Amino acid sequence: MLHEGRLGIQMAHRAAIRSIERVVGENAPLQDAAIAAAGIRRMLEAGSVLVLTGAGVSTDSGIPDYRGPKGSLLRHRPMTYQEFLHEPSARHRYWARSFVGWRHMAQAAPNSIHRSLAQWEATGKISGIVTQNVDGLHVAAGSLNVIPLHGDLQQISCLNCGALENRENLDVRLHEANPGYLERIDLDPSLVNPDGDVTLDEAHVAEFHMIGCLVCGSKKLKPNVVYFGENVPPERKVRLKELEAQSASLLVIGSSLAVMSGYKLLLDARSSGKPVGLINGGPTRGDSKADYRWRSNIAEAIAVLESSGDGAVRWPM
């Protein structure tokens, strides 16, 4: 890392590592599934629910989560913003890994959860979606009022001049600069990480050729996503506050809430006296503060919410 401001950089890096390594354990008794489901259904029938989604929503699309039983953190630590910004070798390693992992991310399609949430928005049950995911699948499913809290892998920015480039266009240029590279790598799709990269050995990283910005030629290109150790952009926080103010309650789906940017939404809802519901496959950081805690496979829980109890569809689809 750079010598200038080295202490501050290292402190921010260590804080990011602590966030990555945060373990979310049980902090409240399990709630009866029928009670949780009934409470969350009442929230949705009242309408204007703000939904926060995490990696668990996209696992059925083939994108692994971070902290689940088979989560990527078991084998891989995401790069911090400080590493990406100040270590050229780390940045080069990311782009080699991302070039390979993008094959899988680009093929991911919305699943039944994404489609249901789009329908819920269309019928007024939810006011909008704040997602911690960077895969763009909510928008692909038809959701309109979506705040990508941590950005979107589809857009690339130059850290030198600020120019933007579409990820597909960058991928074409990377192909041209690295002929035969992908064919020499045997990719296991299950090893692709939620942030779109995949672990590679050092030999493959070394032979990867990175390209420069179309405007200034700098190789300091960054996916337009919020890394661990990086702040959510101020304008996105403003949008988030507006959506929170318009919402009557909060429903968290598929997130352990380990990261503060998501957990703060729960704290905000609590302080405003708004009902909070959780649907997740494992414990969340907010269990002890939620009104309704539904420990369930997410797709199965959504199907229950959309049924009348006898298997019939409850809400217009």
Side-chain angles (χ1 to χ4, degrees), residues 3-305:
H3 293 294
E4 183 179 355
R6 184 179 181 85
L7 180 59
I9 293 169
Q10 289 180 338
M11 289 177 64
H13 171 70
R14 286 196 292 268
I17 294 297
R18 288 195 296 272
S19 178
I20 292 170
E21 294 178 343
R22 180 175 290 116
V23 176
V24 177
E26 301 289 355
N27 57 77
L30 290 177
Q31 189 174 46
D32 181 87
I35 293 174
I40 292 171
R41 178 175 279 152
R42 286 193 297 271
M43 288 168 51
L44 290 165
E45 289 174 341
S48 295
V49 179
L50 173 59
V51 172
L52 170 67
T53 65
V57 163
S58 292
T59 54
D60 286 356
S61 294
I63 301 173
D65 60 11
Y66 280 111
R67 290 177 171 83
K70 298 180 180 179
S72 67
L73 289 182
L74 297 174
R75 63 178 187 275
H76 161 76
R77 176 180 71 74
M79 189 177 299
T80 70
Y81 178 62
Q82 290 69 37
E83 289 171 316
F84 190 94
L85 193 62
H86 299 293
E87 297 183 10
S89 61
R91 196 160 52 241
H92 181 88
R93 183 169 67 253
Y94 169 79
W95 279 114
R97 293 157 54 136
S98 179
F99 179 50
V100 177
W102 179 252
R103 311 305 102 218
H104 184 68
M105 294 291 287
Q107 295 170 5
N111 60 52
S112 63
I113 303 168
H114 298 107
R115 292 191 293 270
S116 289
L117 291 175
Q119 289 293 330
W120 291 5
E121 180 188 9
T123 53
K125 294 174 184 63
I126 67 176
S127 55
I129 297 171
V130 178
T131 184
Q132 297 172 300
N133 301 337
V134 296
D135 51 39
L137 294 181
H138 284 300
V139 173
S143 291
L144 300 177
N145 197 13
V146 179
I147 299 177
L149 191 62
H150 296 155
D152 193 326
L153 283 172
Q154 292 280 349
Q155 193 176 57
I156 307 302
S157 61
C158 175
L159 296 175
N160 185 57
C161 73
L164 300 177
E165 183 177 6
N166 183 277
R167 183 66 176 83
E168 283 82 2
N169 188 71
L170 178 71
D171 193 60
V172 170
R173 297 201 295 127
L174 287 172
H175 267 286
E176 293 172 350
N178 294 275
Y181 185 83
L182 294 175
E183 289 74 13
R184 295 191 293 275
I185 297 174
D186 184 19
L187 173 63
D188 180 350
S190 68
L191 297 182
V192 176
N193 301 310
D195 45 5
D197 66 350
V198 62
T199 300
L200 292 178
D201 59 49
E202 288 305 316
H204 283 122
V205 171
E207 68 173 295
F208 173 75
H209 178 69
M210 185 53 188
I211 56 179
C213 170
L214 287 170
V215 176
C216 71
S218 171
K219 293 184 179 180
K220 295 179 70 172
L221 301 180
K222 177 181 175 293
N224 209 4
V225 300
V226 177
Y227 277 64
F228 285 95
E230 184 179 7
N231 293 322
V232 174
E235 63 275 12
R236 206 170 296 161
K237 291 181 180 179
V238 171
R239 264 190 80 196
L240 179 57
K241 281 295 181 185
E242 293 172 349
L243 186 53
E244 285 184 284
Q246 298 164 8
S247 303
S249 58
L250 174 69
L251 176 59
V252 180
I253 306 177
S255 173
S256 67
L257 295 174
V259 178
M260 189 62 194
S261 57
Y263 183 52
K264 188 177 185 302
L265 269 71
L266 184 146
L267 297 179
D268 289 346
R270 265 286 67 106
S271 65
S272 300
K274 298 178 180 180
V276 174
L278 307 173
I279 304 174
N280 200 45
T284 85
R285 191 178 178 184
D287 283 357
S288 64
K289 294 179 170 61
D291 298 286
Y292 309 111
R293 307 179 299 276
W294 194 353
R295 190 72 60 82
S296 172
N297 172 280
I298 296 169
E300 293 174 3
I302 299 298
V304 169
L305 290 171

